[in-house]
Amino acid sequence: MSHRAPESQSQRRVFAAMHAVLSDDHNYERGLTALRDLVDQIVREEGSTGLCDFTLALSLGLASALERIAHDHGLAADDLAEVWFAD
């Protein structure tokens, strides 16, 4: 039996979550359903610890993407995040 590092499993799940939402522009609801199924699977298999690991990996991935975008546009990542998530 092979055990993988939690980080790599979380990263694979983050990729699966992103793929679920981005893969089909013509059926957004199907992507959301796939994402909900993934989150439900994480909770069933690993409980709150797995969900926490997934959330941390997803947050770190989003922060990294925002930093790259901000850098490419000569902005501070904090400023971009504030604008991006403004109501």
Side-chain angles (χ1 to χ4, degrees):
M1 181 161 82
S2 173
H3 293 285
R4 297 183 185 229
E7 293 78 22
S8 64
Q9 184 175 21
S10 291
Q11 289 172 341
R12 284 192 309 276
R13 286 179 167 161
V14 166
F15 176 74
M18 298 282 183
H19 182 70
V21 175
L22 297 173
S23 66
D24 193 347
D25 290 339
H26 302 292
N27 196 335
Y28 181 71
E29 291 79 19
R30 186 175 9 185
L32 290 181
T33 298
L35 179 56
R36 284 188 180 100
D37 290 346
L38 175 63
V39 171
D40 288 344
Q41 177 187 1
I42 293 168
V43 170
R44 276 192 316 274
E45 293 177 1
E46 299 180 38
S48 62
T49 299
L51 188 57
C52 183
D53 290 346
F54 173 73
T55 302
L56 289 172
L58 187 59
S59 297
L60 291 171
L62 177 58
S64 178
L66 282 174
E67 285 176 338
R68 286 192 306 270
I69 293 167
H71 180 267
D72 289 348
H73 293 281
L75 302 169
D78 286 345
D79 293 340
L80 179 59
E82 187 175 322
V83 170
W84 197 312
F85 292 104
D87 289 326

